[in-house]
Amino acid sequence: MFDIHVILQNSPGTLSRLTTLLGRHGIGLEGGGLFSFGEQSHAHFLVEEGERARAVLEAGGIAVEAVNVPLIRRLP
């Protein structure tokens, strides 16, 4: 599991473009969120194939800030 971090502009359709690109390439989102401030949003999503997700997004013109291995713990 990998966390992809993307900075998006706060404009209609931007998040849809990201999710559509990933979906068309068979990359599902396992979880995540979007945090907005001013004209930008920081999106963090969990995916199974981090580097593949990065390649798909960057080929589609969306810059990926980072791909990290998150610390995941099951809660009792």
Side-chain angles (χ1 to χ4, degrees):
M1 189 71 60
F2 295 89
D3 169 69
I4 56 171
H5 174 203
V6 179
I7 298 175
L8 303 170
Q9 294 301 309
N10 277 345
S11 59
T14 306
L15 181 59
S16 174
R17 186 167 161 252
L18 178 144
T19 57
T20 298
L21 269 171
L22 293 175
R24 285 187 179 154
H25 289 87
I27 300 170
L29 300 177
E30 302 298 326
L34 183 81
F35 311 95
S36 297
F37 182 76
E39 294 184 13
Q40 292 185 331
S41 295
H42 288 257
H44 285 268
F45 291 106
L46 297 175
V47 296
E48 288 288 333
E49 300 174 84
E51 290 305 321
R52 185 164 164 253
R54 178 198 302 263
V56 165
L57 291 173
E58 289 181 346
I62 298 175
V64 175
E65 291 293 311
V67 175
N68 297 301
V69 176
L71 176 63
I72 298 174
R73 300 273 187 205
R74 285 194 184 265
L75 299 175

